[in-house]
């Protein structure tokens, strides 16, 4: 199946990405995509922009060149309680919030599987985030069964990150296959993302698409399958989220 929604992309406001928002949108338009999410990194990472950049996503229209552009962020876990590096001003304008483990101040070392599992379960239970990004990263091992079971209970989606199969997080492949199998068992929402850091990768979901077809993952649980499925999920998440969050930056 060719997916026309990409829920994890970056622009060059993150210095390790190389295309502008306009270039990403043009690439999405050329490929016939209906929706892309702009999910630049949260400010805890050293090469991320000031949080004002995330806040000012409110200046963007909801649709550019016929492509719906979701205002989003790939936030960072910053402590064992499951806190993330957003403040209220960012939080309240976001259409979609991803969170992933990255080596940042407050959570620099991901070797402890039990700690990582406990932390990610706390993240999910806090109900602030919509999607758990690249959970197959072997540098931050987690108990997939426990995390996915909790994600299902709290209606949080688990991401399959296409770039994890292309060298961005070496050793992720078998972990991601396990994640798919466990997620299918529990009936968990899946989110697919290219994790594009260059415009040519926008919409690149080829490997995860093929793997999902192989295991006949239910279409209605894949957020990228249809705009109505995505909208229904986002509406559900808006109802579940707290109105205010702790100020962590």
């Amino acid at each position: 199946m060719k997916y026309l929604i990409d829920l994890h992309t970056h622009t060059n406001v993150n210095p390790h990405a190389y295309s502008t928002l306009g270039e990403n949108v043009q690439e999405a338009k050329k490929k016939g995509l209906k929706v892309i999410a702009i999910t630049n990194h949260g400010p805890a990472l050293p090469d991320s922009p000031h949080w004002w950049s995330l806040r000012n996503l409110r200046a963007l229209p909801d649709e550019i060149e016929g492509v719906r552009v979701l205002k989003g962020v790939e936030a960072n876990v910053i402590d064992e309680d499951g806190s993330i590096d957003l403040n209220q001003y960012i939080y309240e304008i976001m259409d979609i919030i991803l969170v992933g483990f990255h080596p940042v101040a407050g959570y620099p070392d991901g070797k402890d599987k039990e700690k990582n599992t406990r932390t990610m379960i706390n993240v999910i239970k806090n109900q602030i985030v919509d999607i758990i990004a690249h959970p197959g990263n072997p540098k931050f091992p987690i108990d997939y069964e426990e995390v996915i079971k909790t994600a299902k209970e709290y209606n949080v989606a688990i991401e399959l990150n296409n770039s994890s199969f292309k060298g961005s997080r070496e050793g992720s492949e078998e972990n991601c296959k396990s994640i798919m199998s466990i997620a299918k068992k529990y009936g968990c929402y899946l989110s697919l993302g290219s994790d594009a850091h260059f415009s040519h990768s926008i919409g690149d979901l080829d490997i995860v698409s093929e793997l999902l077809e192989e295991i006949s993952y239910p279409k209605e649980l894949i957020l990228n399958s249809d705009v109505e499925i995505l909208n229904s999920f986002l509406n559900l998440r808006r109802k579940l989220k707290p109105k205010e969050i702790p100020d962590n930056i």
Side-chain angles (χ1 to χ4, degrees):
M1 177 175 178
K2 180 174 174 56
Y3 293 100
L4 301 180
I5 298 171
D6 189 346
L7 295 177
H8 188 159
T9 73
H10 295 274
T11 74
N12 64 354
V13 301
N14 285 133
H16 65 289
Y18 300 98
S19 299
T20 66
L21 171 63
E23 289 167 338
N24 284 357
V25 169
Q26 287 300 319
E27 186 70 15
K29 180 180 179 181
K30 184 173 78 172
K31 292 178 177 176
L33 268 64
K34 296 180 179 179
V35 183
I36 61 172
I38 303 300
T39 53
N40 288 315
H41 288 286
L45 278 180
D47 72 338
S48 294
H50 194 279
W51 67 263
W52 292 345
S53 175
L54 293 169
R55 168 66 173 171
N56 207 43
L57 283 171
R58 60 184 176 163
L60 299 179
D62 293 335
E63 187 174 292
I64 305 173
E65 297 287 331
V67 178
R68 182 179 172 195
V69 178
L70 297 178
K71 302 169 181 68
V73 60
E74 183 183 4
N76 301 285
V77 180
I78 57 173
D79 63 36
E80 199 171 339
D81 293 332
S83 302
I84 60 176
D85 59 338
L86 301 186
N87 61 29
Q88 184 68 25
Y89 301 104
I90 301 171
Y91 176 70
E92 64 192 19
I93 63 100
M94 287 295 161
D95 297 316
I96 194 164
I97 297 174
L98 283 61
V99 69
F101 283 123
H102 300 96
V104 297
Y107 211 98
D109 185 356
K111 295 178 182 178
D112 188 334
K113 182 176 180 178
E114 289 186 8
K115 176 184 175 183
N116 295 341
T117 300
R118 186 167 58 249
T119 299
M120 192 54 75
I121 286 173
N122 286 338
V123 168
I124 293 168
K125 288 183 175 180
N126 288 343
Q127 286 286 32
I128 292 168
V129 307
D130 306 305
I131 298 166
I132 306 303
H134 48 69
N137 186 355
K139 292 185 177 179
F140 290 87
I142 58 174
D143 184 322
Y144 299 128
E145 190 93 18
E146 292 302 316
V147 169
I148 291 170
K149 184 167 60 175
T150 307
K152 166 62 178 176
E153 181 182 354
Y154 285 82
N155 291 295
V156 171
I158 298 293
E159 182 190 70
L160 286 181
N161 189 299
N162 205 69
S163 76
S164 292
F165 291 88
K166 297 189 172 184
S168 61
R169 282 165 287 275
E170 291 186 10
S172 295
E173 294 90 343
E174 292 306 313
N175 293 344
C176 291
K177 290 177 182 178
S178 295
I179 288 168
M180 282 187 276
S181 176
I182 296 168
K184 183 179 179 184
K185 180 174 78 170
Y186 285 103
C188 190
Y189 287 113
L190 288 185
S191 173
L192 313 182
S194 66
D195 204 355
H197 284 65
F198 181 58
S199 60
H200 288 191
S201 298
I202 295 290
D204 187 357
L205 302 169
D206 55 338
I207 298 176
V208 294
S209 174
E210 183 177 334
L211 292 171
L212 288 170
E213 285 186 19
E214 287 178 4
I215 66 169
S216 300
Y217 205 92
K219 175 184 174 182
E220 64 272 16
L221 294 176
I222 303 172
L223 305 183
N224 310 62
S225 294
D226 186 87
V227 172
E228 289 187 10
I229 292 172
L230 174 62
N231 287 342
S232 177
F233 173 78
L234 293 178
N235 288 336
L236 171 62
R237 291 296 313 147
R238 276 190 284 272
K239 293 175 184 176
L240 295 173
K241 285 181 177 180
K243 291 183 179 180
E244 296 185 359
I245 63 170
D247 192 347
N248 295 313
I249 60 173

